[in-house]
């Protein structure tokens, strides 16, 4: 019977930077286009408990991209959006 305790199981809950455990939380996403800075707050993310790195949840990526695209279309130099829960 397999006794492989440490298989290379790729989990989203493990930080890709330091291997620490990530917990559900939120982060602030900043996208700098040079002519426009889009800041999105309260983005669902897995936050590393060890190094603090935040990984935007896969399920939230499309919505985040949408917000950034829409915000940029407004052609303002700085846009700060808070993502709805
Ligand atoms: Zn980490």
């Amino acid at each position: 019977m397999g006794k492989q305790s440490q298989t290379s199981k790729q989990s989203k809950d493990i930080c890709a930077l330091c291997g620490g455990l990530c917990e559900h939380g939120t982060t602030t996403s900043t996208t700098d286009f040079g002519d426009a800075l889009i800041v999105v707050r309260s983005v669902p993310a897995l936050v590393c408990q060890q190094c603090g790195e935040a990984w935007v949840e896969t399920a939230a990526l499309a919505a985040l991209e949408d917000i950034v695209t829409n915000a940029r279309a407004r052609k303002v130099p700085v846009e700060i959006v808070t993502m709805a829960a």
Side-chain angles (χ1 to χ4, degrees):
M1 285 299 157
K3 222 186 171 187
Q4 294 167 292
S5 50
Q6 300 289 324
T7 46
S8 57
K9 182 182 159 201
Q10 288 294 323
S11 168
K12 278 193 299 184
D13 294 345
I14 300 297
C15 177
L17 282 187
C18 72
L21 261 185
C22 295
E23 283 192 358
H24 290 275
T26 58
T27 188
T28 299
S29 160
T30 306
T31 310
D32 192 348
F33 290 102
D35 58 345
L37 180 71
I38 316 295
V39 180
V40 186
R41 305 169 73 186
S42 299
V43 180
L46 290 164
V47 184
C48 177
Q49 302 301 292
Q50 196 160 288
C51 73
E53 185 72 20
W55 307 88
V56 175
E57 298 213 32
T58 315
L61 279 175
L64 175 62
E65 201 171 300
D66 247 37
I67 290 173
V68 171
T69 303
N70 288 337
R72 209 194 169 190
R74 275 173 228 144
K75 296 193 186 291
V76 290
V78 180
E79 181 81 0
I80 300 174
V81 186
T82 300
M83 196 182 246

